[in-house]
Amino acid sequence: NAGVTQTPKFRVLKTGQSMTLLCAQDMNHEYMYWYRQDPGMGLRLIHYSVGEGTTAKGEVPDGYNVSRLKKQNFLLGLESAAPSQTSVYFCASGRDRDTGELFFGEGSRLTVL
Amino acid sequence: QQPVQSPQAVILREGEDAVINCSSSKALYSVHWYRQKHGEAPVFLMILLKGGEQKGHDKISASFNEKKQQSSLYLTASQLSYSGTYFCGTETAHDYKLSFGAGTTVTVRA
């Protein structure tokens, strides 16, 4: 069981370039989330999804887009990367809100020059 | 809106106790607690639901005051393995956003 897999794990971009982070889970979870983690700011929610075909904005959605075309995959896109988007990105998935447990991927470290 | 955690950091000797607090300005449906070791992903500790009971996980327990929209995490007789950053996450009844606080860094020394 792989759990939650994020690709790529590391990436360096130049300002203005675009990229997509892929999150894949094999636990048949309905809920999926994208967070970014910056020193001193904890985990901030970018976008989330409560099921296949659904997405919703989190606390810091600007500059990011997401898609959940398949239940097991949640894609995070940066259309025009900015240095402020340098961060560690975590994807997480969960079965239902009452069970609560989120399973996190290992994180993707993105640097924008 | 992110919940507010306090303190930002705490240093303990093995065997000492500590309390981490989490508060929100919104009416909460649930409070979650996670621990993250350096360089690793956060790991689930427990969830407290509105109307639910106080939870425990080994010598780590938590409470949820629904009237005050506050939760506290209790580290009892701390062990070296308790070191890490603890995050509370909160969810309201109206959406499925799980928002985390800025974290509390716990260092347990021998």
Side-chain angles (χ1 to χ4, degrees):
Chain A
N1 239 1
V4 179
T5 303
Q6 293 181 225
T7 52
K9 291 191 172 38
F10 301 93
R11 184 76 186 268
V12 178
L13 287 177
K14 293 181 180 178
T15 298
Q17 287 185 319
S18 63
M19 76 158 296
T20 299
L21 293 173
L22 169 63
C23 177
Q25 52 95 2
D26 61 3
M27 296 171 282
N28 201 35
H29 286 167
E30 293 291 340
Y31 298 77
M32 296 188 75
Y33 303 80
W34 275 108
Y35 293 92
R36 59 176 290 174
Q37 185 170 34
D38 304 292
M41 303 189 76
L43 294 157
R44 291 184 292 168
L45 181 62
I46 305 171
H47 286 281
Y48 64 103
S49 168
V50 300
E52 180 179 309
T54 74
T55 63
K57 294 180 180 180
E59 298 152 346
V60 289
D62 294 343
Y64 304 95
N65 56 73
V66 287
S67 65
R68 182 106 181 261
L69 299 179
K70 293 183 179 180
K71 187 177 183 179
Q72 64 267 33
N73 295 336
F74 195 27
L75 278 66
L76 179 70
L78 286 73
E79 290 188 348
S80 179
S84 60
Q85 294 178 304
T86 293
S87 188
V88 178
Y89 292 84
F90 283 100
C91 174
S93 72
R95 189 175 70 213
D96 61 63
R97 66 184 321 196
D98 287 350
T99 303
E101 181 171 5
L102 291 190
F103 294 83
F104 282 81
E106 294 180 345
S108 297
R109 183 174 293 277
L110 175 65
T111 302
V112 183
L113 302 175
Chain B
Q1 186 176 7
Q2 291 181 276
V4 177
Q5 281 185 242
S6 63
Q8 286 186 318
V10 60
I11 299 174
L12 302 167
R13 293 279 184 195
E14 267 189 301
E16 291 182 339
D17 302 339
V19 180
I20 300 171
N21 299 304
C22 175
S23 65
S24 174
S25 59
K26 298 183 177 182
L28 299 177
Y29 175 82
S30 65
V31 178
H32 304 228
W33 287 97
Y34 286 75
R35 178 172 63 205
Q36 184 180 32
K37 303 276 188 178
H38 184 70
E40 299 179 5
V43 174
F44 177 77
L45 292 176
M46 65 191 79
I47 179 174
L48 298 99
L49 299 174
K50 183 178 178 179
E53 297 178 351
Q54 181 168 338
K55 293 286 187 71
H57 175 78
D58 194 9
K59 292 184 179 178
I60 299 175
S61 62
S63 62
F64 179 19
N65 185 324
E66 298 169 31
K67 290 184 179 178
K68 294 185 177 180
Q69 310 306 326
Q70 294 175 346
S71 178
S72 295
L73 185 74
Y74 306 95
L75 307 181
T76 305
S78 58
Q79 306 167 17
L80 294 176
S81 61
Y82 286 5
S83 291
T85 301
Y86 290 77
F87 293 99
C88 74
T90 57
E91 201 175 7
T92 68
H94 305 292
D95 58 42
Y96 300 92
K97 289 183 187 180
L98 180 54
S99 298
F100 287 94
T104 297
T105 300
V106 173
T107 304
V108 182
R109 295 179 175 165

